[in-house]
Amino acid sequence: MNPNKKKELQNQYKNMHHEMGVVSFKCLATGEAFLAASKNTKSTLNSTQFQLEAGNHPNKALQALWKEHGPSGFECSVLEVLDYDDPTEDYSDILEEMRQAYLDADPKNHKLWR
């Protein structure tokens, strides 16, 4: 691929308006939810499910529940979406505040990544 085309594609990706927000992997049997602040909710949902299916997710508690109950034992969803304008701005702090509000609201909510 020519370098100019590659740079153009990289810039297009960087300026994409990905859905940002808080994602949840909730075990239906226990009510425990594992939450992540995400800059790309679709990517976070897909990559986490892939890691869980492969049996190598770094959150051992979540991995154990997934192994015991399987994919059908979980509700994987986006709890809240961040409304934002500038895709180049860093919204990490706002996303973390959103996740922390959910963590504080219910003791059965846990961080997806420790």
Side-chain angles (χ1 to χ4, degrees):
M1 175 181 298
N2 105 30
N4 290 335
K5 181 66 174 173
K6 183 176 181 180
K7 189 170 185 109
E8 178 186 336
L9 291 172
Q10 288 172 333
N11 283 333
Q12 284 177 356
Y13 182 79
K14 183 175 149 184
N15 291 314
M16 285 180 72
H17 203 87
H18 295 288
E19 181 180 85
M20 294 187 199
V22 178
V23 299
S24 169
F25 290 82
K26 184 174 185 176
C27 179
L28 300 174
T30 66
E32 291 178 88
F34 297 83
L35 311 177
S38 174
K39 293 182 181 180
N40 185 334
T41 58
K42 289 180 179 74
S43 176
T44 299
L45 288 168
N46 288 337
S47 65
T48 302
Q49 287 174 332
F50 181 82
Q51 286 179 317
L52 289 166
E53 286 296 317
N56 65 359
H57 195 276
N59 187 316
K60 300 305 178 198
L62 173 58
Q63 186 65 65
L65 287 170
W66 188 272
K67 184 177 180 181
E68 182 179 348
H69 301 288
S72 62
F74 279 80
E75 180 182 274
C76 305
S77 63
V78 178
L79 296 178
E80 187 174 356
V81 174
L82 176 65
D83 185 27
Y84 69 99
D85 294 321
D86 183 2
T88 62
E89 190 173 326
D90 184 10
Y91 294 97
S92 299
D93 291 341
I94 296 169
L95 291 166
E96 184 54 39
E97 288 174 15
M98 290 168 60
R99 177 177 74 162
Q100 191 60 49
Y102 285 97
L103 291 171
D104 293 343
D106 187 342
K108 287 191 172 189
N109 290 344
H110 310 286
K111 291 182 179 182
L112 180 60
W113 296 290
R114 304 258 171 214

